[in-house]
Amino acid sequence: MTIRILAAVGEPDAARAVSSLIGQLPGAEPAPPVADSTALVNALDQAASRSVAGAADPPGPPAAAVDELPEVVLVHERIGPVPALELIRDIALRFPAVGVVLITADAGPALFAAAMDAGARGVVGLPLGYDELAARVQAAAQWATGVRVHLGGGQEAAAGPAGTLVTVTGAKGGVGTTLTAVQLALAARAAGRSVALVDMDLQSGDVASYLDVQFRRSIVDLAGIQDISVRVLQDAVHAHHTGLGLLLAPEEGERGEEVDDRAARTVLSALRSRYELVVVDCGAQMQSANAAAVELSDVALLVTTPDVVSVRAAKRLVRLWDRLQIRKAEDTTTVVNRLTRNTEIQPPLVAKATGTHVARTPVPAGFKELQPYVDAGRMQDLDARSTVRQALWALAGELGLVDAPAARQGRGSHRARTSLTGRRRKALTAGPGGGEAGAPSGMHGPAGPHGSGGRYGPAGPYEEG
């Protein structure tokens, strides 16, 4: 769905910042910002006049004058000469099918109530964050589109609420990232969810190999499309016989550079509008695309193994995310893979070293039980008695991925995080960081002294206080 946005911001610096951010919103069609309340009202009057002039029916009802109006108007608190709240009230009365969002540094309860009373459809706090702005704009656009459909002036209703986005990132290569992503997706699908599995390890993705898939379409085919329709999405997503929708990495790894952070946001937004759950395998090499996925995610998982090298890599990656304002450590969940009872590094130590929340459900070491299915590329057929599968499906339950849709709630959901722009984008575009190229993600090395890892209970070989 295309969302036409008109921003009214008086300060030049603020106007540039707002324009830059709304330009990254999926489906956004921003108009040049206006500098004061008079220019804003004149622009809306002109749009309404064009709608009436182009209408086939007489312009009697209000619906006849909405086709050319923007769906969303952003009003900065320092707009003038008319005060912001008074301006919002005037727009709500004269253009009732336009969703107005107030941008303010004071997002307290009193101002929020006053803005709602004036007719605003949302309030965004300063400094602007991508997630919060995207959520408010999307909600206002859905409301505006619904009003226009009800009045007869719109063509179709907006998409339903977005699904849950889960990213799975490896501390380094070969720690089991792809295995974790695949099994979490299969567990959610077995519970009746509609699930999309996205391979965003753009240079060396292995999801297709793990599920024995040969499909010529990939995420690259969606990279240059601004407004992804349902038909276009269906053409790019492979319908696997397990019921999963697979959006694969390109066969030619160099083509992964075509998927930047904006393309990633657009693709993930389109997937979330169609699937209840979107699981993204981000691999172990951070680039702008999978960094944007982590930034947008409701649940961000970081997979590591209980050894010094991997835990240090996990710590480096968490610090990288924090420096680039992608995600905070406390909003990240670490999954400990290949854990045995005799492992010196136990999950509480991992939590202390990384500063992240560590999942209560660890994954035992079980290379022998995995090897036949990995070699055959039939991970979906992994025996239900497998200790690895049992642990990963229990992890899906811990994360709320197999509960009723109304009950799911991921860590870090609805938190405002700054958009990945400028210096941050350059830092990630310059080259991979935060991981090493190694064995394919999900391939397990030799097991420890207790290769099968024993049969752990849901909480694993330790208990957190």
Side-chain angles (χ1 to χ4, degrees):
M1 180 184 71
T2 300
I3 304 175
R4 292 168 293 184
I5 305 174
L6 177 59
V9 185
E11 300 176 354
D13 291 341
R16 284 192 292 270
V18 171
S19 298
S20 174
L21 202 53
I22 63 177
Q24 299 179 47
L25 300 180
E29 188 178 286
V34 295
D36 55 48
S37 58
T38 303
L40 173 60
V41 174
N42 288 340
L44 294 176
D45 278 333
Q46 292 173 5
S49 299
R50 290 195 300 271
S51 298
V52 172
D57 299 326
V66 301
D67 291 342
E68 295 294 326
L69 286 170
E71 282 78 18
V72 179
V73 169
L74 302 177
V75 176
H76 193 274
E77 62 178 351
R78 295 183 181 177
I79 196 69
V82 178
L85 293 181
E86 186 176 337
L87 177 62
I88 291 173
R89 185 176 291 106
D90 184 39
I91 294 174
L93 291 173
R94 297 178 58 181
F95 310 99
V98 174
V100 185
V101 177
L102 174 64
I103 301 175
T104 176
D106 177 19
L111 182 60
F112 182 85
M116 296 302 103
D117 290 341
R121 304 307 307 173
V123 176
V124 180
L126 291 171
L128 290 177
Y130 178 88
D131 283 358
E132 184 181 12
L133 181 62
R136 300 296 178 267
V137 167
Q138 183 69 26
Q142 289 177 356
W143 176 86
T145 305
V147 170
R148 297 176 191 201
V149 171
H150 180 72
L151 294 176
Q155 296 180 352
E156 59 181 12
T164 300
L165 176 62
V166 178
T167 55
V168 185
T169 307
K172 57 185 292 294
V175 296
T177 310
T178 302
L179 172 67
T180 301
V182 168
Q183 288 299 322
L184 290 179
L186 290 171
R189 180 59 193 148
R193 295 286 184 84
S194 59
V195 182
L197 177 59
V198 184
D199 195 345
M200 208 169 277
D201 187 358
L202 298 173
Q203 293 184 350
S204 54
D206 286 320
V207 168
S209 298
Y210 271 49
L211 296 175
D212 192 24
V213 172
Q214 292 183 348
F215 190 60
R216 63 188 182 88
R217 299 286 188 184
S218 74
I219 190 173
V220 173
D221 295 299
L222 300 176
I225 303 176
Q226 297 296 327
D227 190 6
I228 301 175
S229 65
V230 174
R231 179 63 180 273
V232 170
L233 197 62
Q234 288 176 340
D235 289 342
V237 174
H238 173 71
H240 196 253
H241 67 82
T242 59
L244 296 178
L246 304 180
L247 186 56
L248 304 173
E251 282 288 337
E252 305 84 4
E254 66 275 11
R255 295 198 65 196
E257 297 180 0
E258 299 175 30
V259 185
D260 58 12
D261 59 324
R262 180 168 183 172
R265 294 180 191 278
T266 303
V267 170
L268 294 177
S269 177
L271 288 169
R272 294 178 75 179
S273 68
R274 187 178 177 203
Y275 294 90
E276 293 180 80
L277 176 66
V278 180
V279 180
V280 182
D281 177 5
C282 291
Q285 296 183 348
M286 292 309 299
Q287 298 168 332
S288 59
N290 48 23
V294 173
E295 184 183 12
L296 291 174
S297 64
D298 300 299
V299 180
L301 299 181
L302 176 59
V303 181
T304 185
T305 49
D307 57 83
V308 173
V309 175
S310 294
V311 173
R312 283 179 176 173
K315 186 176 181 179
R316 286 197 305 269
L317 185 57
V318 169
R319 288 180 173 177
L320 173 69
W321 288 352
D322 184 66
R323 287 196 307 271
L324 300 183
Q325 300 181 22
I326 296 171
R327 200 171 191 91
K328 296 180 180 178
E330 57 266 28
D331 294 334
T332 303
T333 300
T334 299
V335 178
V336 181
N337 188 23
R338 300 184 203 147
L339 186 68
T340 68
R341 295 184 183 277
N342 296 333
T343 301
E344 183 175 352
I345 298 178
Q346 290 291 315
L349 182 57
V350 176
K352 183 177 180 181
T354 61
T356 62
H357 165 78
V358 173
R360 295 189 305 274
T361 308
V363 183
F367 180 72
K368 291 183 179 179
E369 64 187 48
L370 290 174
Q371 185 175 11
Y373 301 97
V374 172
D375 291 343
R378 305 283 297 178
M379 191 53 62
Q380 68 272 19
D381 297 331
L382 184 61
D383 195 326
R385 295 171 297 179
S386 162
T387 57
V388 174
R389 172 177 152 157
Q390 289 176 0
L392 288 171
W393 286 42
L395 175 64
E398 178 185 335
L399 298 173
L401 306 185
V402 296
D403 295 338
R408 65 175 181 261
Q409 188 173 16
R411 288 180 60 85
S413 179
H414 306 297
R415 291 180 180 263
R417 288 181 292 276
T418 310
S419 173
L420 185 67
T421 55
R423 175 181 60 84
R424 309 182 189 95
R425 181 186 302 170
K426 291 179 181 178
L428 290 170
T429 306
E436 300 174 7
S441 179
M443 296 288 285
H444 293 263
H450 302 275
S452 64
R455 295 186 178 272
Y456 296 157
Y462 72 99
E463 296 288 341
E464 292 184 346

